[in-house]
Protein backbone atom coordinates (compact mmCIF):
# COMPACT_ATOMS: atom_id res chain seq x y z
CA UNK A 1 0.00 0.00 0.00
CA UNK A 2 1.32 3.39 -0.86
CA UNK A 3 1.36 5.84 1.97
CA UNK A 4 0.17 9.27 1.12
CA UNK A 5 0.53 12.60 2.77
CA UNK A 6 -2.27 14.21 4.68
CA UNK A 7 -3.35 17.75 4.33
CA UNK A 8 -5.12 19.68 7.00
CA UNK A 9 -8.65 20.48 6.01
CA UNK A 10 -9.85 23.81 7.22
CA UNK A 11 -6.93 24.32 9.58
CA UNK A 12 -8.26 21.95 12.24
CA UNK A 13 -6.52 20.05 14.90
CA UNK A 14 -4.23 21.08 17.65
CA UNK A 15 -4.94 19.01 20.74
CA UNK A 16 -2.12 16.59 21.14
CA UNK A 17 1.28 18.16 20.94
CA UNK A 18 2.31 14.57 20.90
CA UNK A 19 1.33 14.47 17.31
CA UNK A 20 -2.04 12.94 17.43
CA UNK A 21 -4.10 15.96 16.91
CA UNK A 22 -1.61 17.99 14.98
CA UNK A 23 -3.37 17.07 11.81
CA UNK A 24 -1.92 19.95 9.81
CA UNK A 25 0.45 18.34 7.44
CA UNK A 26 1.71 20.70 4.82
CA UNK A 27 3.45 19.54 1.72
CA UNK A 28 6.86 20.47 0.52
CA UNK A 29 9.35 19.04 -1.90
CA UNK A 30 11.80 16.49 -0.67
CA UNK A 31 15.34 15.39 -1.21
CA UNK A 32 16.93 12.13 -0.26
CA UNK A 33 19.67 11.75 2.23
CA UNK A 34 20.29 11.65 5.86
CA UNK A 35 18.39 13.13 8.73
CA UNK A 36 20.00 14.39 11.86
CA UNK A 37 18.24 13.80 15.12
CA UNK A 38 18.16 16.10 18.02
CA UNK A 39 21.40 15.27 19.79
CA UNK A 40 21.91 14.33 23.41
CA UNK A 41 18.36 13.45 24.29
CA UNK A 42 18.30 10.84 21.62
CA UNK A 43 21.73 9.46 22.32
CA UNK A 44 21.20 9.36 26.03
CA UNK A 45 17.93 7.59 25.48
CA UNK A 46 19.44 4.81 23.51
CA UNK A 47 22.10 4.12 26.06
CA UNK A 48 19.38 3.47 28.57
CA UNK A 49 17.68 0.77 26.55
CA UNK A 50 17.14 -2.19 28.83
CA UNK A 51 20.09 -1.03 30.90
CA UNK A 52 20.41 0.83 34.16
CA UNK A 53 16.98 2.31 34.03
CA UNK A 54 15.44 -1.08 33.58
CA UNK A 55 17.31 -2.52 36.52
CA UNK A 56 16.62 0.48 38.67
CA UNK A 57 12.95 0.23 37.95
CA UNK A 58 12.63 -3.48 38.49
CA UNK A 59 14.43 -3.32 41.79
CA UNK A 60 12.15 -0.50 42.81
CA UNK A 61 9.02 -2.47 41.99
CA UNK A 62 8.75 -4.20 45.31
CA UNK A 63 5.02 -4.32 45.78
CA UNK A 64 2.97 -7.31 44.76
CA UNK A 65 -0.28 -7.27 42.83
CA UNK A 66 -2.15 -8.17 46.02
CA UNK A 67 -0.73 -5.13 47.77
CA UNK A 68 -1.75 -2.99 44.83
CA UNK A 69 -5.29 -4.36 44.97
CA UNK A 70 -5.47 -3.68 48.70
CA UNK A 71 -4.42 -0.15 48.06
CA UNK A 72 -6.99 0.21 45.32
CA UNK A 73 -9.90 -0.26 47.70
CA UNK A 74 -8.60 2.13 50.33
CA UNK A 75 -10.84 5.20 50.79
CA UNK A 76 -7.97 7.53 49.87
CA UNK A 77 -7.49 5.87 46.52
CA UNK A 78 -11.19 5.92 45.72
CA UNK A 79 -11.36 9.70 45.81
CA UNK A 80 -8.27 10.23 43.65
CA UNK A 81 -9.59 9.00 40.34
CA UNK A 82 -7.54 10.80 37.75
CA UNK A 83 -9.80 9.96 34.79
CA UNK A 84 -11.91 13.01 35.60
CA UNK A 85 -8.87 15.30 35.53
CA UNK A 86 -7.69 13.76 32.27
CA UNK A 87 -11.12 14.12 30.65
CA UNK A 88 -11.55 17.75 31.70
CA UNK A 89 -8.02 18.59 30.58
CA UNK A 90 -8.62 17.23 27.08
CA UNK A 91 -12.13 18.72 26.96
CA UNK A 92 -10.66 22.16 27.64
CA UNK A 93 -8.12 21.99 24.84
CA UNK A 94 -8.95 24.39 22.08
CA UNK A 95 -8.77 23.70 18.37
CA UNK A 96 -5.88 25.68 16.96
CA UNK A 97 -5.57 26.72 13.33
CA UNK A 98 -2.73 25.80 11.03
CA UNK A 99 -1.16 29.27 11.24
CA UNK A 100 -0.93 29.16 15.03
CA UNK A 101 0.35 25.60 14.96
CA UNK A 102 3.12 26.45 12.53
CA UNK A 103 4.38 29.10 14.98
CA UNK A 104 4.50 26.57 17.81
CA UNK A 105 7.85 25.54 19.28
CA UNK A 106 6.84 21.93 18.72
CA UNK A 107 5.49 22.28 15.17
CA UNK A 108 8.02 19.84 13.71
CA UNK A 109 7.82 17.44 16.63
CA UNK A 110 4.06 17.18 16.18
CA UNK A 111 4.52 16.54 12.48
CA UNK A 112 7.21 13.98 13.30
CA UNK A 113 4.88 12.14 15.69
CA UNK A 114 2.14 12.29 13.11
CA UNK A 115 4.48 10.85 10.47
CA UNK A 116 5.41 8.05 12.81
CA UNK A 117 1.76 7.19 13.41
CA UNK A 118 1.06 7.33 9.66
CA UNK A 119 3.85 4.84 9.00
CA UNK A 120 2.66 2.57 11.81
CA UNK A 121 -0.95 2.67 10.64
CA UNK A 122 0.05 2.21 6.97
CA UNK A 123 2.16 -0.83 7.78
CA UNK A 124 -0.41 -2.51 9.97
CA UNK A 125 -3.08 -1.98 7.31
CA UNK A 126 -0.74 -3.62 4.80
CA UNK A 127 -0.41 -6.64 7.07
CA UNK A 128 -4.16 -6.87 7.59
CA UNK A 129 -4.78 -6.72 3.85
CA UNK A 130 -1.92 -9.14 3.19
CA UNK A 131 -3.72 -11.63 5.43
CA UNK A 132 -6.81 -11.37 3.21
CA UNK A 133 -9.09 -8.88 5.00
CA UNK A 134 -11.19 -6.97 2.49
CA UNK A 135 -13.53 -5.12 4.82
CA UNK A 136 -11.33 -3.45 7.40
CA UNK A 137 -12.82 -2.32 10.73
CA UNK A 138 -10.89 -0.21 13.22
CA UNK A 139 -11.32 0.78 16.85
CA UNK A 140 -9.62 4.08 17.67
CA UNK A 141 -9.31 3.88 21.46
CA UNK A 142 -8.76 7.36 22.88
CA UNK A 143 -9.42 8.97 19.50
CA UNK A 144 -9.20 12.56 20.79
CA UNK A 145 -10.45 15.11 18.29
CA UNK A 146 -9.94 12.69 15.41
CA UNK A 147 -6.41 13.57 14.37
CA UNK A 148 -6.02 10.15 12.79
CA UNK A 149 -9.23 10.14 10.71
CA UNK A 150 -7.36 11.20 7.58
CA UNK A 151 -4.88 8.40 8.05
CA UNK A 152 -7.73 5.89 8.12
CA UNK A 153 -9.29 7.51 5.08
CA UNK A 154 -6.03 7.21 3.15
CA UNK A 155 -5.84 3.61 4.28
CA UNK A 156 -9.23 2.93 2.70
CA UNK A 157 -10.83 1.29 5.73
CA UNK A 158 -14.53 0.45 5.82
CA UNK A 159 -15.64 1.17 9.38
CA UNK A 160 -14.34 2.91 12.46
CA UNK A 161 -15.44 3.15 16.06
CA UNK A 162 -13.96 6.20 17.77
CA UNK A 163 -14.05 6.21 21.58
CA UNK A 164 -12.74 8.71 24.09
CA UNK A 165 -13.43 9.80 27.65
CA UNK A 166 -13.56 13.50 26.69
CA UNK A 167 -17.05 14.30 25.36
CA UNK A 168 -16.00 17.57 23.72
CA UNK A 169 -13.21 15.79 21.85
CA UNK A 170 -15.60 13.09 20.65
CA UNK A 171 -18.01 15.79 19.36
CA UNK A 172 -15.17 17.48 17.50
CA UNK A 173 -14.05 14.13 16.13
CA UNK A 174 -17.56 13.48 14.85
CA UNK A 175 -17.90 16.87 13.20
CA UNK A 176 -14.48 16.44 11.64
CA UNK A 177 -15.71 13.14 10.20
CA UNK A 178 -18.93 14.80 8.93
CA UNK A 179 -16.85 17.52 7.21
CA UNK A 180 -14.63 14.90 5.67
CA UNK A 181 -17.65 13.14 4.25
CA UNK A 182 -19.18 16.37 2.93
CA UNK A 183 -15.96 17.37 1.22
CA UNK A 184 -15.17 13.98 -0.26
CA UNK A 185 -15.32 13.25 -3.98
CA UNK A 186 -18.63 11.95 -5.30
CA UNK A 187 -17.13 8.59 -6.14
CA UNK A 188 -15.12 8.18 -2.96
CA UNK A 189 -16.78 5.93 -0.41
CA UNK A 190 -15.85 7.20 3.06
CA UNK A 191 -15.88 4.64 5.85
CA UNK A 192 -18.86 4.42 8.20
CA UNK A 193 -18.29 5.50 11.79
CA UNK A 194 -19.62 5.31 15.33
CA UNK A 195 -18.59 7.73 18.08
CA UNK A 196 -18.65 6.77 21.74
CA UNK A 197 -17.94 8.87 24.81
CA UNK A 198 -16.77 6.48 27.50
CA UNK A 199 -14.11 5.97 30.10
CA UNK A 200 -12.49 3.03 28.35
CA UNK A 201 -10.65 2.08 31.53
CA UNK A 202 -13.96 1.57 33.37
CA UNK A 203 -16.74 0.83 30.88
CA UNK A 204 -17.19 -2.16 28.61
CA UNK A 205 -17.13 -0.79 25.07
CA UNK A 206 -18.58 -3.86 23.39
CA UNK A 207 -21.90 -3.14 25.17
CA UNK A 208 -22.06 0.23 23.42
CA UNK A 209 -21.43 -0.89 19.87
CA UNK A 210 -24.19 -0.25 17.30
CA UNK A 211 -23.52 -3.69 15.92
CA UNK A 212 -23.34 -6.17 18.78
CA UNK A 213 -21.52 -8.61 16.49
CA UNK A 214 -18.85 -6.04 15.53
CA UNK A 215 -15.29 -7.37 15.26
CA UNK A 216 -12.19 -5.30 14.53
CA UNK A 217 -9.09 -5.88 12.43
CA UNK A 218 -7.14 -3.20 14.27
CA UNK A 219 -7.33 -1.36 17.58
CA UNK A 220 -5.25 1.80 17.52
CA UNK A 221 -4.44 3.39 20.87
CA UNK A 222 -2.22 6.41 20.28
CA UNK A 223 -0.71 8.21 23.29
CA UNK A 224 -3.48 6.87 25.53
CA UNK A 225 -2.78 3.54 27.19
CA UNK A 226 -0.60 5.00 29.99
CA UNK A 227 -3.60 6.82 31.48
CA UNK A 228 -5.09 3.46 32.41
CA UNK A 229 -2.08 2.33 34.48
CA UNK A 230 -3.53 4.15 37.45
CA UNK A 231 -4.72 0.77 38.75
CA UNK A 232 -4.67 -2.85 37.67
CA UNK A 233 -8.45 -2.84 37.18
CA UNK A 234 -8.28 0.15 34.84
CA UNK A 235 -5.29 -1.16 32.87
CA UNK A 236 -7.08 -4.47 32.46
CA UNK A 237 -10.35 -2.88 31.35
CA UNK A 238 -8.54 -0.76 28.74
CA UNK A 239 -6.80 -3.89 27.48
CA UNK A 240 -10.07 -5.79 27.41
CA UNK A 241 -11.66 -3.01 25.34
CA UNK A 242 -8.67 -2.97 23.01
CA UNK A 243 -8.50 -6.71 22.44
CA UNK A 244 -11.73 -8.59 23.15
CA UNK A 245 -13.37 -7.67 19.82
CA UNK A 246 -10.26 -8.18 17.69
CA UNK A 247 -10.47 -10.84 15.01
CA UNK A 248 -7.94 -13.66 15.33
CA UNK A 249 -4.81 -12.29 13.66
CA UNK A 250 -5.97 -8.71 14.36
CA UNK A 251 -3.63 -6.05 15.72
CA UNK A 252 -3.48 -3.82 18.77
CA UNK A 253 -1.09 -0.97 17.95
CA UNK A 254 -0.14 2.16 19.81
CA UNK A 255 2.31 4.64 21.20
CA UNK A 256 3.07 5.29 24.86
CA UNK A 257 5.88 6.69 27.01
CA UNK A 258 8.76 4.29 27.65
CA UNK A 259 8.94 3.83 31.43
CA UNK A 260 12.61 2.80 31.27
CA UNK A 261 13.44 6.08 29.60
CA UNK A 262 11.38 8.13 32.06
CA UNK A 263 12.96 6.43 35.07
CA UNK A 264 16.45 6.70 33.62
CA UNK A 265 16.07 10.43 33.10
CA UNK A 266 14.51 10.87 36.54
CA UNK A 267 17.34 8.97 38.22
CA UNK A 268 19.87 11.10 36.34
CA UNK A 269 18.21 14.30 37.51
CA UNK A 270 19.21 16.15 40.69
CA UNK A 271 15.55 16.82 41.44
CA UNK A 272 12.22 15.05 41.01
CA UNK A 273 11.72 16.39 37.53
CA UNK A 274 13.41 16.67 34.17
CA UNK A 275 12.69 18.26 30.84
CA UNK A 276 13.49 21.40 28.94
CA UNK A 277 11.75 24.44 27.54
CA UNK A 278 9.13 22.44 25.66
CA UNK A 279 8.27 19.62 28.08
CA UNK A 280 8.54 18.72 31.75
CA UNK A 281 8.02 15.47 33.63
CA UNK A 282 7.67 15.65 37.44
CA UNK A 283 7.49 12.70 39.81
CA UNK A 284 6.49 12.78 43.47
CA UNK A 285 9.40 10.58 44.58
CA UNK A 286 12.09 8.38 43.15
CA UNK A 287 13.79 5.09 43.93
CA UNK A 288 10.64 2.97 44.13
CA UNK A 289 8.18 2.60 41.30
CA UNK A 290 4.91 0.76 41.99
CA UNK A 291 3.56 -1.42 39.21
CA UNK A 292 0.31 0.55 39.05
CA UNK A 293 -0.49 4.10 40.04
CA UNK A 294 3.09 5.32 39.61
CA UNK A 295 2.06 8.84 38.79
CA UNK A 296 4.05 11.63 37.18
CA UNK A 297 2.93 14.96 35.85
CA UNK A 298 3.52 15.66 32.19
CA UNK A 299 3.40 19.07 30.60
CA UNK A 300 4.13 19.94 27.02
CA UNK A 301 4.30 23.39 25.43
CA UNK A 302 0.79 24.82 25.75
CA UNK A 303 -0.92 21.53 24.95
CA UNK A 304 -0.71 18.84 27.57
CA UNK A 305 -0.71 19.31 31.34
CA UNK A 306 -1.97 16.11 32.96
CA UNK A 307 -1.23 13.33 35.43
CA UNK A 308 0.04 10.17 33.74
CA UNK A 309 1.22 6.74 34.94
CA UNK A 310 4.27 4.60 34.25
CA UNK A 311 3.55 1.54 32.15
CA UNK A 312 5.96 -1.19 33.13
CA UNK A 313 6.19 -2.85 29.74
CA UNK A 314 6.88 -6.47 30.78
CA UNK A 315 3.73 -6.29 32.88
CA UNK A 316 1.75 -4.87 29.95
CA UNK A 317 2.94 -7.81 27.81
CA UNK A 318 2.02 -10.25 30.57
CA UNK A 319 -1.44 -8.77 31.02
CA UNK A 320 -2.07 -8.83 27.27
CA UNK A 321 -1.62 -12.60 27.26
CA UNK A 322 -4.95 -12.87 29.11
CA UNK A 323 -6.53 -11.63 25.89
CA UNK A 324 -4.56 -14.00 23.71
CA UNK A 325 -2.29 -11.21 22.49
CA UNK A 326 1.39 -11.69 21.67
CA UNK A 327 3.88 -8.88 21.34
CA UNK A 328 5.06 -8.44 17.76
CA UNK A 329 6.99 -5.18 18.06
CA UNK A 330 8.21 -2.81 20.72
CA UNK A 331 10.46 -0.04 19.47
CA UNK A 332 11.48 3.28 20.84
CA UNK A 333 10.64 6.20 18.56
CA UNK A 334 14.35 6.66 17.80
CA UNK A 335 14.68 3.04 16.67
CA UNK A 336 11.45 3.11 14.68
CA UNK A 337 12.53 6.31 12.97
CA UNK A 338 15.98 4.96 12.10
CA UNK A 339 14.50 1.84 10.57
CA UNK A 340 11.65 3.45 8.64
CA UNK A 341 13.57 6.40 7.27
CA UNK A 342 15.65 3.97 5.21
CA UNK A 343 12.62 3.32 3.01
CA UNK A 344 12.07 5.77 0.19
CA UNK A 345 8.26 5.79 0.60
CA UNK A 346 8.54 6.69 4.29
CA UNK A 347 11.22 9.30 3.59
CA UNK A 348 9.13 11.00 1.00
CA UNK A 349 6.11 10.99 3.30
CA UNK A 350 8.34 12.52 5.95
CA UNK A 351 9.22 15.38 3.61
CA UNK A 352 5.61 15.91 2.60
CA UNK A 353 4.46 16.01 6.21
CA UNK A 354 7.28 18.38 7.21
CA UNK A 355 8.22 15.96 9.94
CA UNK A 356 11.70 17.48 10.25
CA UNK A 357 12.84 21.08 10.23
CA UNK A 358 14.89 22.06 7.18
CA UNK A 359 18.53 22.53 8.19
CA UNK A 360 20.13 24.92 7.61
CA UNK A 361 16.96 26.97 7.33
CA UNK A 362 17.26 29.48 4.50
CA UNK A 363 15.28 32.13 6.30
CA UNK A 364 17.18 31.72 9.56
CA UNK A 365 14.21 31.53 11.92
CA UNK A 366 14.81 29.81 15.25
CA UNK A 367 18.14 28.50 14.02
CA UNK A 368 19.54 31.98 13.45
CA UNK A 369 18.88 33.00 17.04
CA UNK A 370 19.99 29.70 18.54
CA UNK A 371 21.99 30.66 21.59
CA UNK A 372 21.11 27.54 23.61
CA UNK A 373 22.65 24.99 21.30
CA UNK A 374 19.28 23.69 20.13
CA UNK A 375 20.80 22.89 16.74
CA UNK A 376 24.43 22.19 17.68
CA UNK A 377 23.99 18.49 16.83
CA UNK A 378 22.97 19.42 13.29
CA UNK A 379 25.79 21.96 12.95
CA UNK A 380 28.31 19.31 13.98
CA UNK A 381 26.95 17.13 11.21
CA UNK A 382 28.87 18.96 8.43
CA UNK A 383 26.51 21.89 8.92
CA UNK A 384 23.87 20.13 6.82
CA UNK A 385 21.04 17.74 7.41
CA UNK A 386 19.61 16.85 4.00
CA UNK A 387 16.38 15.44 5.40
CA UNK A 388 16.16 17.99 8.20
CA UNK A 389 16.33 17.86 11.96
CA UNK A 390 14.44 18.42 15.19
CA UNK A 391 15.61 20.89 17.79
CA UNK A 392 17.34 19.31 20.78
CA UNK A 393 14.37 20.11 23.03
CA UNK A 394 11.85 18.58 20.64
CA UNK A 395 13.97 15.45 20.25
CA UNK A 396 14.31 15.07 24.01
CA UNK A 397 10.53 15.25 24.27
CA UNK A 398 9.62 12.84 21.49
CA UNK A 399 12.33 10.32 22.36
CA UNK A 400 10.54 9.31 25.56
CA UNK A 401 7.96 7.37 23.54
CA UNK A 402 7.78 3.90 22.11
CA UNK A 403 5.69 2.07 19.53
CA UNK A 404 4.01 -1.26 20.30
CA UNK A 405 2.26 -3.84 18.16
CA UNK A 406 0.41 -6.87 19.56
CA UNK A 407 -1.32 -9.52 17.49
CA UNK A 408 -4.23 -11.71 18.51
CA UNK A 409 -3.38 -15.36 18.32
CA UNK A 410 -5.78 -17.70 16.58
C1 LIG B 1 -2.66 12.61 23.89
S1 LIG B 1 -4.34 12.44 23.50
C2 LIG B 1 -4.23 11.42 22.06
C3 LIG B 1 -5.42 11.49 21.16
C4 LIG B 1 -5.35 10.63 19.91
N1 LIG B 1 -5.21 9.22 20.19
C5 LIG B 1 -4.23 11.07 19.02
O1 LIG B 1 -3.19 10.41 18.90
O2 LIG B 1 -4.44 12.11 18.42
C6 LIG B 1 -4.89 11.29 24.74
C7 LIG B 1 -6.36 10.96 24.64
O3 LIG B 1 -6.66 9.88 25.52
C8 LIG B 1 -7.95 10.09 26.02
N2 LIG B 1 -8.15 9.28 27.23
C9 LIG B 1 -7.44 9.33 28.39
N3 LIG B 1 -7.94 8.45 29.28
C10 LIG B 1 -8.97 7.81 28.68
C11 LIG B 1 -9.89 6.81 29.08
N4 LIG B 1 -9.85 6.29 30.30
N5 LIG B 1 -10.82 6.40 28.21
C12 LIG B 1 -10.89 6.93 26.97
N6 LIG B 1 -10.05 7.89 26.53
C13 LIG B 1 -9.10 8.33 27.37
C14 LIG B 1 -7.95 11.58 26.28
O4 LIG B 1 -9.25 12.10 26.46
C15 LIG B 1 -7.26 12.10 25.04
O5 LIG B 1 -8.16 12.37 24.00
Amino acid sequence: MELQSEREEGGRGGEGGRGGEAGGEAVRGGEGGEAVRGGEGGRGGEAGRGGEAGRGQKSGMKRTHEEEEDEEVSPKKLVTDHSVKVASHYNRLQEVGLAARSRSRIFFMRNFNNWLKSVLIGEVLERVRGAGSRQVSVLDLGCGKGGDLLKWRRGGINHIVCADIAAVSVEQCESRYDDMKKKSHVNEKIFSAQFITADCSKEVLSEKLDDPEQLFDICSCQFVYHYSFESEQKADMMLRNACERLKPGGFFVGTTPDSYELVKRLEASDSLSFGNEVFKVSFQSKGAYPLFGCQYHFSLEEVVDVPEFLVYFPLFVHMAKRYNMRLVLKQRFSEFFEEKVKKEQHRSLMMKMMALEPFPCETGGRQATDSRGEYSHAKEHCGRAPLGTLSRSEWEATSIYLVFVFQKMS
Side-chain angles (χ1 to χ4, degrees):
M1 188 199 73
E2 193 189 339
L3 292 168
Q4 297 171 57
S5 72
E6 298 169 15
R7 243 189 228 109
E8 177 66 3
E9 292 178 4
R12 299 251 210 129
E15 172 189 351
R18 279 173 266 209
E21 305 293 331
E25 292 159 11
V27 178
R28 68 176 160 92
E31 45 184 327
E34 200 182 339
V36 177
R37 298 177 319 172
E40 293 311 319
R43 287 200 288 275
E46 275 168 62
R49 213 180 301 155
E52 289 308 314
R55 284 199 289 280
Q57 188 177 40
K58 278 178 197 161
S59 64
M61 288 185 167
K62 292 190 184 106
R63 286 194 267 172
T64 62
H65 282 211
E66 286 75 15
E67 283 167 332
E68 295 299 329
E69 276 166 12
D70 284 346
E71 212 181 67
E72 184 57 20
V73 293
S74 77
K76 185 165 171 262
K77 197 77 182 182
L78 285 176
V79 288
T80 50
D81 183 337
H82 288 91
S83 304
V84 180
K85 275 192 204 163
V86 171
S88 59
H89 166 75
Y90 281 104
N91 273 331
R92 277 198 308 272
L93 283 183
Q94 300 295 313
E95 293 249 26
V96 180
L98 184 57
R101 268 205 313 278
S102 62
R103 286 193 300 274
S104 158
R105 292 282 322 261
I106 54 168
F107 173 71
F108 292 103
M109 186 193 99
R110 293 166 68 153
N111 293 349
F112 177 86
N113 290 353
N114 237 334
W115 167 81
L116 192 140
K117 286 197 298 175
S118 296
V119 172
L120 178 63
I121 284 172
E123 291 202 339
V124 78
L125 277 168
E126 249 178 44
R127 286 186 69 168
V128 163
R129 294 233 160 76
S133 264
R134 296 250 167 117
Q135 298 285 311
V136 178
S137 293
V138 171
L139 170 62
D140 191 340
L141 199 61
C143 59
K145 297 179 196 303
D148 290 342
L149 285 173
L150 282 171
K151 297 175 184 66
W152 299 118
R153 177 188 185 178
R154 301 291 183 199
I157 65 161
N158 304 85
H159 184 67
I160 197 164
V161 173
C162 293
D164 199 286
I165 192 173
V168 176
S169 296
V170 176
E171 272 166 32
Q172 289 175 356
C173 181
E174 186 162 5
S175 65
R176 199 170 194 171
Y177 167 78
D178 290 340
D179 276 1
M180 182 196 280
K181 260 176 86 166
K182 271 187 225 139
K183 290 178 186 160
S184 64
H185 298 186
V186 262
N187 46 6
E188 181 187 4
K189 184 159 171 18
I190 299 281
F191 51 85
S192 53
Q194 182 187 355
F195 300 88
I196 301 174
T197 299
D199 182 341
C200 303
S201 64
K202 281 187 180 162
E203 297 165 72
V204 179
L205 268 185
S206 56
E207 291 169 0
K208 297 172 185 287
L209 296 172
D210 287 343
D211 173 4
E213 307 294 314
Q214 178 75 58
L215 291 176
F216 299 103
D217 297 275
I218 299 168
C219 170
S220 170
C221 188
Q222 306 297 341
F223 301 103
V224 180
Y225 188 66
H226 45 291
Y227 293 108
S228 74
F229 249 65
E230 185 175 357
S231 69
E232 183 172 5
Q233 287 85 343
K234 285 186 167 198
D236 182 60
M237 180 57 84
M238 188 78 99
L239 253 181
R240 175 179 167 184
N241 283 325
C243 306
E244 76 172 345
R245 288 308 184 101
L246 281 179
K247 295 176 186 169
F251 292 94
F252 170 35
V253 302
T255 42
T256 195
D258 179 359
S259 61
Y260 287 145
E261 187 60 30
L262 293 177
V263 171
K264 183 175 77 71
R265 292 194 201 185
L266 172 67
E267 296 282 349
S269 157
D270 294 338
S271 67
L272 289 177
S273 60
F274 60 86
N276 55 42
E277 52 204 60
V278 304
F279 85 110
K280 186 173 177 191
V281 172
S282 308
F283 282 76
Q284 288 152 348
S285 63
K286 60 179 168 183
Y289 305 96
L291 295 175
F292 297 100
C294 189
Q295 190 189 327
Y296 58 91
H297 194 88
F298 182 81
S299 57
L300 177 69
E301 172 93 351
E302 295 159 20
V303 240
V304 185
D305 192 11
V306 276
E308 301 189 347
F309 301 91
L310 282 188
V311 176
Y312 181 48
F313 208 85
L315 178 58
F316 181 19
V317 175
H318 175 75
M319 290 172 70
K321 287 184 185 152
R322 287 183 208 161
Y323 298 97
N324 222 10
M325 303 298 294
R326 80 179 168 96
L327 183 67
V328 175
L329 175 87
K330 176 204 169 209
Q331 247 179 358
R332 298 191 35 214
F333 272 24
S334 52
E335 299 166 322
F336 189 86
F337 162 72
E338 272 164 22
E339 186 186 313
K340 303 304 171 194
V341 80
K342 290 180 189 146
K343 275 197 180 174
E344 173 51 36
Q345 77 183 116
H346 298 327
R347 261 209 314 274
S348 76
L349 181 67
M350 176 158 244
M351 303 307 285
K352 286 176 188 152
M353 291 175 72
M354 296 178 77
L356 293 173
E357 180 174 350
F359 187 91
C361 176
E362 282 158 24
T363 53
R366 300 190 289 186
Q367 293 169 17
T369 53
D370 176 27
S371 57
R372 295 191 179 131
E374 284 283 304
Y375 297 92
S376 51
H377 54 283
K379 286 176 195 150
E380 281 160 18
H381 206 272
C382 311
R384 273 192 87 235
L387 266 187
T389 189
L390 285 183
S391 68
R392 183 182 301 273
S393 293
E394 285 174 297
W395 182 257
E396 282 178 5
T398 198
S399 59
I400 63 176
Y401 291 95
L402 59 78
V403 172
F404 63 81
V405 177
F406 288 88
Q407 187 172 27
K408 191 157 202 168
M409 291 179 283
S410 322

